Amino acid sequence: MGKSSIKEACGKVVFAATAALCIAAAAAIFVFIIMKSIPALAETGLGNFLFGTEWAPDANDVYGQPLAGSYGILPMLVGTLVATVCALLVGGTLGFFTAVFLSYYCRGKVKTVFTSVINLLAGVPSVIFGFFGIKVLMPLFNMLSPNGNSSGLLLTSVILGMMIFPTVASLSKTALEAVPQAYYEGALALGGTRDQAVFRTVVPAAKSGITAAMILGVGRALGETMAVVMVAGNSPQFPEGLFSSFRTMTANIVLEMGYAGEMQMGALFATGGVLLVFVAITVILLSLVTSDKKSKGRGGKKFGFSLFNGRKICFAGKAFSFVSAAFALAFLAALIIYLLVMGLPHLSGQLLFGAYEYGGEISILPSVAATLMTVGISLVIALPLGICAAIFLSEYAGSRNPLVRIIRGAIDVLSGVPSIVYGLFGAVTFVTLLGGNYSIAAGSLTISVMLLPTVIRATEESLRAVPMSLREGALALGAGKLRTVFTVVLPSAMPGIIAAAILSVGRVMSESAPFMFTMGSSIQPMPEGAMSGGTTLAVLLYYLSGENLYTDEAYACACVLMLIVLLLNIAAEAAGRALQRKFQGEKNADKKSKRNRKKVLEQAKENG
């Protein structure tokens, strides 16, 4: 075997091994959470845990002794499901109609603007949604509440709905645009109006993709933590109305993990196990829907049941699509303008560059340093692993390979695991492995596992977008597959990979819950190294907004975080446009080359 063959074999093994890490990570999360849950479930009994109506833990309860506390999660289980359904009614409805608006009623620069709005909303940290909820929406909703307190189901549903809105809108838009144009044109040719063609033909044909978007929205709502903690009220009781306080399972974990005793901590891990079951159900439903979509062709069924069966109803659907898009734009504008207006005046030198001491003045400089360190370490870990895994899936793996199916299933599971469960996993594994102390290193390792699905999917899409002619040309010139990947494919896909890195930075910036369990559960001073604790900007905003003692500092922190998110989104879109222009230019060059070859052949035939 020659040196080139050995290199090719080693490269393939390395790529396959990094892809298999996704399987190991998904399995490890399930195994560790279940192992931590079993002792608590053995003490309480599975039935009492799932269907018990009282959650009143005792920090002194330990395994093997009579329990003084109660550990029933049914109120929080019901609260989670009710909040998810209500959020889907808000975000799912707005997202679907906005997708219709973008696909069939919006053109040119306006479409570009609204697409950017959706992408920006998708990148806004959950803690900013929660902060906006308690500072802006809560005072408005208080006027509607009978008791003057709007913490509860209605406010939570609106906040969660706007958080899942970008997911539903983006994926529904993709599903609608995947329907063959012939369906739309055929409906018009048969005498239907434009609205009827959209709502009676295109929408039913795209229902599999729209359903998948809704399922992913449900997964996002089920796993949300920080925004819910800030607006739900957090009483461990059944939601009794739109303005009654309630608690979700994710909120229960983050609120009590910091002071939990042995039995209480086991019950919290068991709550995380229940969340993992919901994730598994979501992934199974999503796979069934998407496989059903593939079996029926690119656009799904040609005709199907539609709620929009009359001309007036279709016109009403069109009107609501305009209203939904306008509402999304207004919400984002209000969010950005409010944070800038309230935050910019409080950006003082002390806040930005001063030293932080316990009991002294607040400074965000230590949090900026901790955030940058976390971003750097996590990218160094996640980017190489994610890119190698994407290379295996795009360049080496066959579509019918069972290993590929397992890897893709593991990626789907990792992308759906709630961030709070990642926090539990990081606390059990990385914090323990690194000596049992909270540290930036533990937080970075935890977030690296979270980033893998994002990096893999974005990189794989970029690699698949590279024209096949470039690969064929390199191979025809004698280059091996490994050399082709590194010298031709990867450089061509670099703008997309850069966009994936930028998206990963945004993900690190927006997360809160995993860092609270791995980097420290209080405001930390300037980190001295990767093994010291730290507080990221998102976590700092959560603490400042919760104490009501540092309102001005909270506004300033939110403003800085929002500005960073804006810059990251602008950079990601610029990289995406560069990738699109590059590939469009290559496609045009290919077409021109083919035309030239055709002319040469025709001239040769004419000349005999």
Side-chain angles (χ1 to χ4, degrees), residues 316-355:
K318 171 186 175 181
F320 197 77
S321 68
F322 278 81
V323 172
S324 299
F327 179 80
L329 182 61
F331 184 88
L332 178 63
L335 180 66
I336 294 175
I337 293 173
Y338 178 78
L339 292 179
L340 293 180
V341 170
M342 299 299 293
L344 286 176
H346 302 295
L347 291 177
S348 63
Q350 164 62 32
L351 185 69
L352 293 175
F353 307 110

Side-chain angles (χ1 to χ4, degrees), residues 6-28:
I6 294 175
K7 288 182 180 179
E8 293 288 341
C10 291
K12 185 175 181 179
V13 169
V14 170
F15 296 146
T18 54
L21 281 177
C22 297
I23 303 175

Side-chain angles (χ1 to χ4, degrees), residues 289-301:
V289 169
T290 52
S291 63
D292 179 62
K293 178 182 177 182
K294 291 177 182 178
S295 67
K296 294 172 183 176
R298 187 181 179 191
K301 285 186 176 181

Side-chain angles (χ1 to χ4, degrees), residues 467-478 484 488:
M468 188 59 65
S469 60
L470 295 180
R471 297 175 175 85
E472 294 170 349
L475 293 173
L477 291 173
T484 300
V488 177

Side-chain angles (χ1 to χ4, degrees), residues 259-346:
Y259 57 85
E262 184 180 57
M263 177 62 202
Q264 184 179 359
M265 183 172 293
L268 295 176
F269 272 98
T271 305
V274 174
L275 284 171
L276 283 180
V277 172
F278 280 121
V279 170
I281 294 173
T282 302
V283 171
I284 292 172
L285 290 176
L286 184 62
S287 64
L288 291 175
V289 169
T290 52
S291 63
D292 179 62
K293 178 182 177 182
K294 291 177 182 178
S295 67
K296 294 172 183 176
R298 187 181 179 191
K301 285 186 176 181
K302 185 172 182 179
F303 298 103
F305 173 76
S306 176
L307 293 174
F308 304 91
N309 289 322
R311 178 175 294 189
K312 292 183 179 180
I313 296 179
C314 291
F315 179 79
K318 171 186 175 181
F320 197 77
S321 68
F322 278 81
V323 172
S324 299
F327 179 80
L329 182 61
F331 184 88
L332 178 63
L335 180 66
I336 294 175
I337 293 173
Y338 178 78
L339 292 179
L340 293 180
V341 170
M342 299 299 293
L344 286 176
H346 302 295

